[in-house]
Amino acid sequence: MAEQQEVIAELTAAGVLAGIRWAYESATRRSLESYCEADGHDPAWLGHTRFTLFRDRLDRVFGCARYAVPAVGGGLDRDLLYAELSERDLASMPHLAPALVRRSDLRGSAGWIYRRHWFLIASAEFGRIDTLPWLEKSVTKQLVAMQPGPDHRQPSLFEDLLTDGVVPDHLVPEGAPAGIALPPRLDPVLLAADRQLKLPAFVVAHTLDADTGEIELAFGRPWLNLRGGPAWHWREDLLTVPLPAVRRTEVPAAAERDQLSVVPDAQVRLRVIDGGRRTGRGRDGGQA
C-alpha cells in the first residue's frame, strides 16, 4: 500500500484527522467572530489569532499540554476542556482517548505525535496550498520539507546534502549555477535536525479567505519546492473527513439552557380604600 493510503487510513481510523478538522473549524469560527477591522484588527491579527486558537483546539481535542489535567475519578477536567467552546463546538467535538496523541514540538514549532506520525501546522495563502512556498517558511518547516520522499529511503535524512555541502541537482532552482551551495542559514542546523527527525514528519496546511469565510485544510508530506511548483509528495483534503453530527436535540440554545425555572406568581390581594382607589403604584410605574 502506498504511504498516503496507509497513513490516511491509520489516522482516520484512530480519529486523529477528525480531531484536526474539528480543531481548525472551531478556531476559524471563533477567529472570524472576533475579527473586526473597525476595532483595529488586520490580516496579521487574524492570522495570529487563528494559529493560536488552532493550536489550543488541537491540544483540547487530543487532551494535551494544559488540558491533560486529570479529574477526580479519572478522565480529564471537563470544565477546563470545554471552557469558552461554543455549543456547535461541544456537539461536534470528537471524543478521543486521552494520550492518544501527545504534544511534541520541533525546534520551537508546535507539533503532535501519534505513534510514528509526527505533524506540524503551517498556514498558507488561500488557494495556494498546492504551491505553498516552503522557502518563505521557518527553517524548521524547510527542514521537514527536505525529508526524503516515501520512495527514497536513506540511512540519514540529509546524508546527500551533507556529503559536500552542495544542493543536489533536482533541488536546484532553474537558472541557478551548477554546484550551488546550501543556504548559509540552513547549513548549521542540518546535523541537529538529522538527529531529531527520526520519525517521518508531516504538515497540516491551512488557509482562510477572510472575505468569504472559506477555508482549506490538508494533511500531507511536504516537498521542498525550490524550483516552485508542487509543494507536496502527497496531500489529503481533510474537509472531507466526517465529524460527529450536530443534532438540535443534543444542544439546547443558550437561552433555553440558562432559562430560569418557571414558577407561578404569588397571589397578591390589593387593599381597597378611599372609595375603591388602590394605594401604591400601578403596573406602569406611575401613580395609581
Side-chain angles (χ1 to χ4, degrees):
M1 183 184 294
E3 181 188 61
Q4 179 176 359
Q5 287 71 34
E6 182 179 351
V7 170
I8 295 302
E10 183 175 352
L11 295 183
T12 299
V16 174
L17 298 186
I20 295 173
R21 177 183 172 181
W22 174 87
Y24 189 59
E25 291 185 346
S26 170
T28 301
R29 284 193 296 268
R30 185 61 178 271
S31 299
L32 290 175
E33 288 171 1
S34 305
Y35 181 58
C36 178
E37 292 183 351
D39 198 25
H41 298 162
D42 57 15
W45 180 95
L46 182 60
H48 177 74
T49 301
R50 189 172 96 240
F51 166 80
T52 301
L53 292 178
F54 188 20
R55 180 184 58 193
D56 172 86
R57 269 45 173 181
L58 285 169
D59 282 341
R60 288 187 195 237
V61 74
F62 296 136
C64 297
R66 65 188 295 260
Y67 298 104
V69 179
V72 178
L76 299 177
D77 185 338
R78 299 298 177 185
D79 290 339
L80 177 63
L81 190 64
Y82 296 155
E84 302 302 319
L85 294 182
S86 69
E87 295 166 345
R88 182 175 179 180
D89 291 339
L90 292 173
S92 60
M93 184 178 187
H95 296 286
L96 306 177
L100 178 75
V101 176
R102 61 186 177 88
R103 179 74 178 269
S104 182
D105 296 349
L106 175 63
R107 297 181 53 81
S109 292
W112 294 261
I113 290 180
Y114 169 71
R115 294 186 176 177
R116 291 188 54 79
H117 304 95
W118 196 353
F119 63 89
L120 286 69
I121 56 178
S123 64
E125 183 181 341
F126 185 80
R128 290 191 63 191
I129 278 186
D130 284 333
T131 56
L132 196 160
W134 294 110
L135 285 180
E136 297 178 9
K137 295 298 179 182
S138 67
V139 172
T140 300
K141 300 295 182 5
Q142 293 179 43
L143 292 171
V144 170
M146 290 173 72
Q147 293 177 104
D151 299 324
H152 298 85
R153 307 295 182 185
Q154 59 191 51
S156 172
L157 289 175
F158 306 110
E159 184 179 80
D160 292 341
L161 295 174
L162 294 172
T163 52
D164 53 11
V166 175
V167 179
D169 291 340
H170 67 284
L171 291 179
V172 176
E174 292 183 5
I180 183 172
L182 291 170
R185 68 191 188 101
L186 283 180
D187 201 4
V189 298
L190 286 175
L191 281 174
D194 185 35
R195 289 192 296 268
Q196 196 169 5
L197 280 174
K198 294 305 181 184
L199 297 179
F202 304 92
V203 169
V204 175
H206 55 93
T207 75
L208 167 65
D209 186 325
D211 294 327
T212 65
E214 292 181 89
I215 62 174
E216 297 170 305
L217 188 65
F219 182 101
R221 182 188 279 275
W223 163 252
L224 187 64
N225 49 346
L226 294 179
R227 297 177 184 270
W232 307 88
H233 291 286
W234 59 264
R235 74 171 183 88
E236 189 82 11
D237 180 8
L238 296 191
L239 297 182
T240 62
V241 175
L243 291 177
V246 178
R247 290 185 284 273
R248 181 67 179 81
T249 56
E250 294 179 352
V251 189
E256 296 176 359
R257 184 182 60 198
D258 299 333
Q259 186 177 11
L260 296 177
S261 300
V262 177
V263 179
D265 291 336
Q267 293 184 356
V268 177
R269 292 185 179 182
L270 299 177
R271 175 183 294 180
V272 179
I273 61 175
D274 296 337
R277 292 192 307 163
R278 293 173 297 184
T279 60
R281 299 181 182 274
R283 291 186 180 181
D284 62 358
Q287 290 293 330

